[in-house]
Amino acid sequence: MVSKEISCTALVQEKLDLLKQNKYHTVNSLLEETALELASKVDSKIANGEKIGLLEGIPFGIKDVYMVQGTYTTASSNLLKKYKSPYTATAIQKLVDAGSIPLVKENCDSFGHGSSSENTIFGAVKNAINPALVGGGSSGGSAVNVAKDFTTFSIGGDTGGSIRQPAGYNKVYGFKPTYGRVSRFGLMAYASSTDCVGPIAKSIEDIRIVLNIMSGKDVKDQTSYASEEILEEEISNASAIKTVGYFKNFIESKAISSTIKEDFLATIKKIKAKGIKVKELDFFDADMLVSTYYTLAMAETASNLSRLDGTNYGARIEGENLKDTYSITRSENFSEESKRRIVGGNQVLSQGFSDEIYLKAQNLRDQISARFTEDFHQVDIILSPVTPANPPKIGESLQDPLAMYLSDAYTVGFSLGGLPTLTIPKGTSTGLQITADQKKDAQVLQFANFLNDIL
Ligand code: GLN
């Protein structure tokens, strides 16, 4: 743009047109007016010879679970179909302050509940590579928009894999930072103890730039922390990475597709050939990770969504009395999948069950985190596939929720550990997942650059 090959307004208009015409069901609402206004401001700055920042004028997309003042924020649900945000999420505000231009609120699984972006009132998101397949989830619209160049980058949300898995399904990069690196303020809460804000983009460099802008302590999110900027030089050389580990039982699981397994092991060979030590690690059974994650995620979402009862928020449907009103509003306006989770979550939190189930899951989570800590005494990076199988056809996952939960086997563990983890679109048909110890986000990007060079 600075070279004046294309004006910012023309770029934004081009993307808006692509989004409008697209048949992948990625758009919940367009932010056309503000986007064009912001673009013309950038053009005037350029015309006046003013300096513009790295992200200035760059159009981006936002998963429709982020508050952006004055915009519909629906969480792809009937309940919030008409809800408008009264304020803007911290991460989004930082991007806007840096000059990026929000274009679109993106389709996703309702409240982040899902792994396919079919649990939405806006129509199932179609895969960017093969539209008969799912877009992945829950940040499916965001990953497809990036893959199709409808947005330059998009901001997804990742509770148990929702950035990494759709990134893998659509062959782009998707990063879940260390829990707390980016403020969650203004991200609609799914499971607060694992919810993370992160970028989806087409290069590691774009991931780095966007991550740097969004990171930092925020008084509005007590779990956020101050972090150092990640510099380009710092991640261009991976010589500090000496040992890479992988979980044997992920690869030996019955659920993994044979080609994903073969491709993964071929990657391991290439890494060894570069003189990096590779260690097989023993870890919890993948099914156990899934059950621990879903127990906690359901408990937290039941609690977080209890406020959506049609009184302060949401489309109220009047009943005979107050209790009736709550019950009809929630029964009619939540999706099947969200109701399954709310009922499940309330069950595991209820008296008589919570010690047996919820507290047990908490305890397992502590054990999982402790194991990660031990593992990272032995290895610098953990490498894994993103998913055990290729994306399903549209319609398949809806028939078998348990199979859908199990397809999250490789992503949810790292969420429970609060670890930084990145999907790169290489190595297997649904990508590779690079994970480092907490707060070592730079190391993840470093190893991603290295893998990019050798794969
Ligand atoms: N598929 C997982 C779930 O449904 C993860 C979703 C997410 O990260 N928001 O919980």
Side-chain angles (χ1 to χ4, degrees):
M1 276 180 303
V2 182
S3 65
K4 304 209 170 73
E5 273 171 24
I6 177 174
S7 73
C8 183
T9 306
L11 175 71
V12 164
Q13 190 62 61
E14 181 192 312
K15 301 272 185 208
L16 286 168
D17 291 343
L18 288 170
L19 284 162
K20 254 188 244 175
Q21 292 153 12
N22 104 77
K23 303 233 167 9
Y24 292 80
H25 293 157
T26 61
V27 177
N28 287 2
S29 57
L30 281 178
L31 313 178
E32 188 159 12
E33 212 174 298
T34 39
L36 288 169
E37 231 170 75
L38 290 169
S40 86
K41 279 191 190 146
V42 176
D43 282 333
S44 324
K45 266 179 103 171
I46 296 172
N48 291 338
E50 287 174 52
K51 238 181 105 182
I52 70 161
L54 213 50
L55 275 184
E56 217 155 328
I58 303 297
F60 74 107
I62 304 170
K63 182 179 184 181
D64 202 11
V65 287
Y66 286 95
M67 303 292 157
V68 180
Q69 193 174 36
T71 69
Y72 286 108
T73 303
T74 70
S76 295
S77 70
N78 264 321
L79 201 83
L80 297 177
K81 202 172 168 180
K82 302 241 165 67
Y83 175 75
K84 278 192 174 171
S85 312
Y87 60 92
T88 300
T90 300
I92 306 299
Q93 190 61 53
K94 285 184 165 188
L95 290 168
V96 172
D97 291 346
S100 333
I101 299 182
L103 288 188
V104 50
K105 302 296 282 290
E106 299 168 315
N107 200 359
C108 56
D109 283 302
S110 196
F111 299 103
H113 297 159
S115 315
S116 64
S117 292
E118 295 170 286
N119 173 25
T120 159
I121 61 163
F122 295 99
V125 176
K126 297 181 185 175
N127 189 283
I129 295 138
N130 175 356
L133 308 180
V134 302
S138 62
S139 312
S142 310
V144 172
N145 279 340
V146 171
K148 301 296 292 179
D149 290 319
F150 300 158
T151 59
T152 305
F153 67 90
S154 284
I155 302 304
D158 191 311
T159 305
S162 279
I163 288 177
R164 290 162 281 154
Q165 187 255 42
Y169 279 3
N170 296 285
K171 301 198 188 295
V172 290
Y173 294 84
F175 189 49
K176 180 198 98 63
T178 301
Y179 179 79
R181 186 180 184 100
V182 179
S183 165
R184 287 176 291 117
F185 179 73
L187 161 63
M188 222 179 268
Y190 166 11
S192 315
S193 76
T194 64
D195 285 346
C196 287
V197 177
I200 298 176
K202 276 204 159 161
S203 72
I204 298 165
E205 188 53 9
D206 287 356
I207 296 278
R208 183 189 72 86
I209 294 168
V210 175
L211 178 70
N212 277 337
I213 299 284
M214 294 195 297
S215 300
K217 173 114 193 109
D218 177 15
V219 289
K220 294 175 185 142
D221 173 2
Q222 291 306 308
T223 62
S224 64
Y225 67 89
S227 55
E228 305 250 310
E229 186 180 347
I230 299 173
L231 302 173
E232 195 179 351
E233 308 82 76
E234 185 187 353
I235 60 164
S236 62
N237 181 337
S239 59
I241 293 167
K242 306 268 185 250
T243 318
V244 170
Y246 72 91
F247 297 127
K248 221 173 30 193
N249 53 357
F250 277 17
I251 304 308
E252 283 163 7
S253 129
K254 282 197 291 290
I256 193 168
S257 100
S258 54
T259 47
I260 292 185
K261 178 175 176 169
E262 277 163 28
D263 293 346
F264 181 80
L265 291 173
T267 302
I268 291 289
K269 256 200 194 143
K270 287 184 192 158
I271 293 171
K272 277 187 191 157
K274 288 285 163 191
I276 291 182
K277 243 176 59 210
V278 174
K279 244 184 133 103
E280 283 183 355
L281 301 166
D282 281 318
F283 198 57
F284 296 89
D285 177 48
D287 288 1
M288 196 280 275
L289 296 176
V290 171
S291 35
T292 304
Y293 166 78
Y294 272 100
T295 303
L296 296 174
M298 287 189 188
E300 291 188 38
T301 207
S303 162
N304 277 324
L305 297 184
S306 63
R307 65 179 175 276
L308 302 180
D309 57 14
T311 307
N312 290 314
Y313 309 96
R316 172 164 46 208
I317 304 173
E318 294 287 349
E320 304 233 310
N321 51 44
L322 186 62
K323 215 170 146 196
D324 246 21
T325 301
Y326 288 160
S327 137
I328 301 172
T329 299
R330 289 170 64 86
S331 303
E332 295 294 316
N333 285 330
F334 276 124
S335 68
E336 285 303 307
E337 184 56 38
S338 293
K339 281 189 278 193
R340 190 164 18 250
R341 292 171 185 224
I342 292 169
V343 170
N346 282 324
Q347 170 91 356
V348 305
L349 288 173
S350 60
Q351 205 173 13
F353 290 95
S354 67
D355 287 5
E356 271 291 308
I357 309 176
Y358 178 71
L359 293 183
K360 188 169 165 197
Q362 286 284 32
N363 180 288
L364 279 169
R365 180 181 188 172
D366 291 343
Q367 292 181 38
I368 292 165
S369 297
R371 275 298 276 283
F372 278 130
T373 308
E374 271 173 40
D375 287 341
F376 283 115
H377 285 140
Q378 301 180 48
V379 301
D380 303 305
I381 290 288
I382 292 174
L383 195 67
S384 75
V386 181
T387 59
N390 288 324
K393 290 204 185 85
I394 289 179
E396 267 174 18
S397 315
L398 295 176
Q399 284 150 24
D400 191 350
L402 183 62
M404 184 182 76
Y405 301 162
L406 289 171
S407 75
D408 295 336
Y410 302 157
T411 51
V412 294
F414 301 124
S415 295
L416 292 171
L419 303 170
T421 162
L422 171 78
T423 288
I424 65 165
K426 288 200 169 179
T428 83
S429 54
T430 61
L432 289 170
Q433 201 178 190
I434 303 169
T435 307
D437 202 359
Q438 281 192 1
K439 302 197 176 176
K440 297 206 168 150
D441 304 53
Q443 223 174 59
V444 171
L445 301 184
Q446 212 173 58
F447 195 66
N449 273 325
F450 166 80
L451 278 187
N452 248 355
D453 290 344
I454 68 159
L455 293 180

